[in-house]
Amino acid sequence: MSQAGGRSYCAIPGPSVVPDEVLQAMHRASPNIYAKEVVELTESLIPDLCRVARTHGQAAIYIGNGHAAWEASLVNTLASGDRVLLPIAGLFGRSWANMAVGLGLEVDTVEIGHGAVQDLELIRAALDEDKTHKIKAVLLTHVDTSTSYLTHVKEVRDLMRGLNHPALLFSDNIASLGCDRFEMDEWGVDVMVASSQKGLMTPPGLSFVFFGEKAARAREGLVRVSPYWDWKPRTAPELFYQYFAGTAPTHHLFGLRVALDMIHDEGIEVVWNRHERLSRAIWAAVEAWGQAGSMRLGVNDVAHRSRAVTSLLMDPPQATRLRGWVETQTGVTLGIGLGMETQSDPKGDGAFRIGHMGHVNAHMVLGVLGAIEAGMAALDIAHGPSGVSAAAQVISREGR
C-alpha cells in the first residue's frame, strides 16, 4: 500500500521548491504593463539580482531558460569564428559547447571532473599553448547540474592572470546561484549566466546575464547583435518594453521580487551556510549507506562538490528501482541520472541526483533521506545502517 498521500516533494535539481510566499505573489490578476507598478517593480529587481551575484556590473533579464542565457551571453561578446575554451565536467558543459559551435564559434574543450588529472593543469596547458591569444573566452560551468561537479572559478581567473591571458571569463551559475558561494567581482568573472528556477526559487521562465565593463566593451566591438538578444537596450532602455524586447513577464516578476526579498532578509552568507550544512548532511548519509552497499557520491573530492545538487551512483539498475519506489510509495521525486550513462550502464540506471537548492531546510532534507533509506530496505538493496542518523548528527552539530 502506497504511503504517498499528502503533499508530494520534488527533490530534483530544478525546478526547485517554490515558496508559498512566491506563489501567493504570483496569484493575482494581470496588471497594466504600462503602469507605474510594473515599471518600478522591474527597476527594483536589477540591483537586487546584482546583490545576489555579488557584482556592481549590469544585469539583463530574458524570458527563457538557461539555454537562452547561454546564447545571450555568447552573441553579445563573441563573433562567428572566434575561439573559446570550454572545460567540460558534465552534460551541461557539453551542451553549452554544442551551442557555441552552432553559433559559429571555434570551441576547444578539455574534459575535467574525473579525478585522474588535476583540472587546473588541463586548463593551464590549453591556455599556455595559446601564445597568440586566439582564445577570446573561457566558458566555465560553476556547477554542472548533471554530475554535481563544482569548478573553482577563482582559481581559473588567478591562472589566467598568471599567464597574462586576456580572454573573457564566463561562469554558468544556472544551478549554483544563491546556493554555492560565488563572488562575481571579487573572482574576476566578466560574464555570468543564471536562471529563475533553482536557487532563486521562482518558476522556470526567466534567465539572467550579468556582465562587467570588459564584456560591455566586447559588445561594443561587434558589428551587429540580434535585436532580441542584444543586452544594450535591456540594460539601458529608453522605453520600458525594451527591458524584455516586448511584453513583460509580469507574474514571474512579482514572484521574483518576493524570492529576492526572502534571500536578502535571510542574508546571502546565511543562505550559503544553510546550503553547506544540508549538503554535508546528505554526504554523511551516503557515506554511511556506502559502508555496506554500492551507493557512493558521484564526486569524490569534497572541495568539488556542489552545495545545490548531489549526484549518487549505485550498481545498476538499483538507482532506477529506488527512484521508482520512493516516488510511488513516499511521494518524493528524485532526479534521474541525467547525462550519467556509461558503456557499462547505457541507460543510466545506476545514477540519480538529489536537489537541495533554494527553499529547503533540515526537515525537508531529512525526509528525503528517510524515504531513500526506507526504499533501500523495502527493495533489499544492500546498504550500511543509520544514514539518516549520520545526517541528523551533522545537522545537530551545526545547530549548536
Side-chain angles (χ1 to χ4, degrees):
M1 180 181 295
S2 173
Q3 301 176 73
R7 192 169 192 172
S8 61
Y9 178 28
C10 198
I12 66 175
S16 65
V17 174
V18 179
D20 289 341
E21 297 93 325
V22 172
L23 293 173
Q24 290 161 7
M26 299 176 72
H27 188 69
R28 54 170 294 170
S30 295
N32 180 355
I33 60 171
Y34 307 105
K36 184 178 179 182
E37 178 188 22
V38 177
V39 175
E40 292 181 345
L41 169 66
T42 300
E43 292 174 346
S44 77
L45 294 172
I46 306 300
D48 282 350
L49 284 166
C50 289
R51 283 177 64 190
V52 178
R54 309 285 270 196
T55 182
H56 292 98
Q58 301 184 69
I61 304 175
Y62 292 86
I63 303 172
N65 55 22
H67 290 67
W70 282 348
E71 184 160 342
S73 71
L74 297 175
V75 301
N76 276 282
T77 52
L78 300 161
S80 181
D82 283 348
R83 182 172 294 278
V84 301
L85 175 65
L86 207 155
I88 294 175
L91 174 68
F92 289 92
R94 191 164 291 106
S95 297
W96 201 8
N98 291 338
M99 175 179 283
V101 170
L103 292 170
L105 301 175
E106 300 292 328
V107 182
D108 296 336
T109 62
V110 290
E111 294 282 343
I112 65 173
H114 302 292
V117 182
Q118 289 296 318
D119 299 335
L120 201 62
E121 293 309 309
L122 289 171
I123 299 171
R124 181 193 304 276
L127 290 172
D128 197 29
E129 289 176 7
D130 182 35
K131 303 300 185 184
T132 59
H133 297 161
K134 291 183 178 179
I135 294 174
K136 302 301 181 184
V138 178
L139 312 183
L140 298 179
T141 308
H142 186 219
V143 169
D144 196 294
T145 322
S146 64
T147 58
S148 71
Y149 183 85
L150 181 145
T151 300
H152 291 173
V153 176
K154 182 179 183 300
E155 290 185 3
V156 176
R157 171 51 81 190
D158 290 344
L159 182 159
M160 294 170 68
R161 286 176 176 145
L163 295 172
N164 198 27
H165 200 291
L168 293 165
L169 181 61
F170 287 50
S171 182
D172 170 358
N173 289 54
I174 293 167
S176 61
L177 186 64
C179 306
D180 287 279
R181 178 177 290 275
F182 182 77
E183 302 278 0
M184 182 170 172
D185 289 354
E186 183 180 323
W187 294 357
V189 175
D190 298 302
V191 181
M192 187 267 280
V193 300
S195 57
S196 59
Q197 76 273 18
K198 298 183 188 280
L200 295 182
M201 307 181 293
T202 307
L206 296 180
S207 60
F208 314 96
V209 180
F210 302 83
F211 60 95
E213 292 181 4
K214 186 176 177 180
R217 290 195 300 271
R219 163 65 188 85
E220 293 301 324
L222 297 177
V223 175
R224 67 178 59 87
V225 174
S226 164
Y228 183 81
W229 296 116
D230 193 352
W231 67 32
K232 286 183 65 177
R234 291 173 181 266
T235 53
E238 296 178 1
L239 299 172
F240 174 70
Y241 83 90
Q242 292 176 305
Y243 273 117
F244 309 102
T247 305
T250 52
H251 289 67
H252 274 79
L253 300 179
F254 289 124
L256 180 62
R257 177 65 273 163
V258 173
L260 290 171
D261 289 342
M262 293 175 69
I263 291 171
H264 297 317
D265 287 346
E266 185 175 2
I268 192 64
E269 290 280 354
V270 178
V271 171
W272 287 336
N273 290 337
R274 171 166 53 84
H275 282 83
E276 174 81 23
R277 180 171 64 255
L278 297 176
S279 300
R280 290 187 178 277
I282 292 170
W283 304 339
V286 176
E287 288 166 354
W289 291 329
Q291 295 299 312
S294 67
M295 186 180 287
R296 58 201 182 277
L297 292 161
V299 178
N300 291 325
D301 185 352
V302 64
H304 286 285
R305 294 177 193 162
S306 170
R307 277 64 176 169
V309 51
T310 296
S311 63
L312 301 101
L313 301 173
M314 307 174 68
D315 290 341
Q318 302 293 34
T320 296
R321 293 181 64 225
L322 180 61
R323 284 193 304 103
W325 190 94
V326 168
E327 183 168 5
T328 59
Q329 299 301 313
T330 73
V332 174
T333 301
L334 302 170
I336 63 173
L338 189 65
M340 301 290 281
E341 301 85 356
T342 63
Q343 285 188 338
S344 59
D345 183 16
K347 295 183 178 180
D349 289 325
F352 72 99
R353 296 168 300 154
I354 301 173
H356 38 95
M357 51 180 61
H359 192 59
V360 290
N361 58 26
H363 86 75
M364 297 163 78
V365 166
L366 289 171
V368 170
L369 297 174
I372 292 171
E373 190 163 285
M376 289 191 290
L379 297 173
D380 293 323
I381 296 174
H383 62 284
S386 304
V388 176
S389 295
Q393 289 177 16
V394 170
I395 290 172
S396 66
R397 286 196 304 270
E398 296 292 334
R400 290 175 185 170

